[in-house]
Amino acid sequence: MAKEEGTLNWGVERRLEFFEFRLFWERHVNRGDLINTFGISVNQSSTDLNRHLSFAPENMEYDKSAKTYVRKSSFEAQFLKPDASRYLSQLRSMGEGIIDASDSWIGALPEFDSAPTPARGVNEVTLRTVVNAIRRLGLDTDPSARKPQDQQIVLLNSAELSILPHALPSSPRMEG
């Protein structure tokens, strides 16, 4: 970290953490955000922004047209430990009216009902089944009720399951 332990008082560190919170989660922050959240003067907010620039000059740049500081791709938090669970909890609490915006560092609720989540690949396999020719129909709801050799359904494509790296037996789609 660029800062040295014990060199800043708690209030200053808190404002710099807020500054990084807004840059990290909302991609922008300005002096007005600091003034409104902490009740500080214009001069103090400018001092805090310049102090942050001295610790992490590659974290942000000023967008003159928007009159705000925007996060650069080289952003590395110096005062904030990003916590997605905390952020999502605050979003939910604000959305449900449990906390007010003034009790959170979130500038504005997103225009959607849920926060976006990263796309994840899902392996899917279709299980092909057929009725066991030597038994009558009658499925047991408890798989341990009968020995495997007495089961009423036979899996035709079990080899396909063995090639999947993370096959989940509880989530296959059944065909029959």
Side-chain angles (χ1 to χ4, degrees):
M1 283 195 174
K3 68 178 179 79
E4 294 179 25
E5 285 296 318
T7 58
L8 300 173
N9 71 39
W10 181 84
V12 173
E13 281 196 37
R14 188 87 169 135
R15 292 191 302 268
L16 296 176
E17 181 185 5
F18 165 81
F19 192 71
E20 288 188 347
F21 178 92
R22 287 283 179 92
L23 283 173
F24 184 82
W25 293 110
E26 298 183 12
R27 299 183 172 266
H28 62 86
V29 68
N30 61 38
R31 288 183 303 164
D33 295 331
L34 285 166
I35 293 166
N36 294 333
T37 302
F38 294 98
I40 60 176
S41 68
V42 172
N43 288 342
Q44 183 62 58
S45 67
S46 293
T47 299
D48 289 342
L49 290 173
N50 287 326
R51 183 175 284 134
H52 190 277
L53 279 168
S54 72
F55 285 121
E58 295 302 315
N59 276 1
M60 64 188 167
E61 61 189 351
Y62 190 71
D63 181 340
K64 291 179 184 178
S65 62
K67 297 182 181 179
T68 190
Y69 288 90
V70 294
R71 185 178 85 185
K72 292 171 75 174
S73 60
S74 56
F75 177 88
E76 287 187 33
Q78 303 295 311
F79 299 91
L80 174 73
K81 292 182 181 170
D83 182 352
S85 296
R86 179 178 170 213
Y87 179 74
L88 292 172
S89 175
Q90 285 186 14
L91 276 177
R92 178 182 295 140
S93 295
M94 285 178 64
E96 294 175 358
I98 296 170
I99 64 170
D100 189 57
S102 63
D103 296 327
S104 169
W105 285 356
I106 297 171
L109 287 175
E111 294 183 17
F112 39 84
D113 290 336
S114 62
T117 57
R120 294 187 175 113
V122 176
N123 293 327
E124 184 178 309
V125 64
T126 300
L127 301 179
R128 295 181 56 224
T129 61
V130 64
V131 175
N132 189 337
I134 62 169
R135 300 286 174 214
R136 294 184 169 263
L137 289 177
L139 297 174
D140 290 320
T141 56
D142 180 9
S144 64
R146 296 180 192 212
K147 295 183 282 185
Q149 61 269 27
D150 293 347
Q151 295 299 312
Q152 303 302 309
I153 295 178
V154 177
L155 182 63
L156 295 178
N157 61 336
S158 60
E160 289 181 38
L161 289 177
S162 64
I163 63 170
L164 295 176
H166 301 292
L168 298 174
S170 61
S171 61
R173 185 177 69 228
M174 301 292 283
E175 263 183 21

